[in-house]
Amino acid sequence: MSTGFTEFLVELVGATPLAIGAVIQDSDGETVDSFGHMSDFDLMVHAAHWGLLWRELQFPPEPRRLTGTTEILIETRRQKILLTTLFREYYLVFILSKETPLTEARRILDQYLSAIREEMGL
């Protein structure tokens, strides 16, 4: 899959030490674009898995205190996952190695988020 966002995702993953992949999805969990150092299937499974959490917080069946959440950091034994809202209907799943320096990953991600949002016309 290749869209206008492919270049941004390739550069984001390439610029971030030990980054594994990045996926842009919409509020229905549909993948807009992705790039990573794993199979497309594995990227989609990751994005779908963590995207469920993002969607639950963004669109709860009843009002909840965390509805305004814009970013979520998840750390597992093997990975760090950053879920970041691009805007209300879209989010980015950024999959990192456990060893990726989080401060540096956030700095690089912020640079690319601006470019992605500009490409989206936001």
Side-chain angles (χ1 to χ4, degrees), residues 35-110:
F35 175 79
H37 302 296
M38 60 174 55
S39 72
D40 286 344
F41 177 79
D42 287 341
L43 272 174
M44 297 311 114
V45 169
H46 267 70
H49 181 79
W50 300 115
L52 285 172
L53 176 61
W54 181 87
R55 289 188 303 278
E56 176 66 22
L57 291 173
Q58 292 298 315
F59 308 105
E62 57 191 59
R64 294 203 182 129
R65 295 176 70 160
L66 297 177
T67 303
T69 302
T70 58
E71 185 171 282
I72 303 167
L73 169 64
I74 300 158
E75 290 194 50
T76 69
R77 282 183 294 163
R78 297 182 359 208
Q79 295 177 336
K80 296 175 186 170
I81 297 91
L82 278 170
L83 299 172
T84 302
T85 300
L86 295 173
F87 68 100
R88 181 166 168 74
E89 302 293 322
Y90 294 87
Y91 60 97
L92 176 85
V93 179
F94 195 24
I95 306 161
L96 308 166
S97 166
K98 182 70 172 174
E99 291 79 29
T100 300
L102 192 57
T103 305
E104 187 171 356
R106 283 289 318 129
R107 181 185 58 75
I108 294 167
L109 178 60
D110 284 343

Side-chain angles (χ1 to χ4, degrees), residues 5-47:
F5 304 107
T6 303
E7 184 178 327
F8 292 117
L9 297 179
V10 169
E11 290 178 13
L12 171 63
V13 171
T16 307
L18 303 170
I20 297 169
V23 181
I24 297 173
Q25 287 195 322
D26 67 18
S27 60
D28 293 326
E30 295 292 324
T31 297
V32 173
D33 204 342
S34 64
F35 175 79
H37 302 296
M38 60 174 55
S39 72
D40 286 344
F41 177 79
D42 287 341
L43 272 174
M44 297 311 114
V45 169
H46 267 70

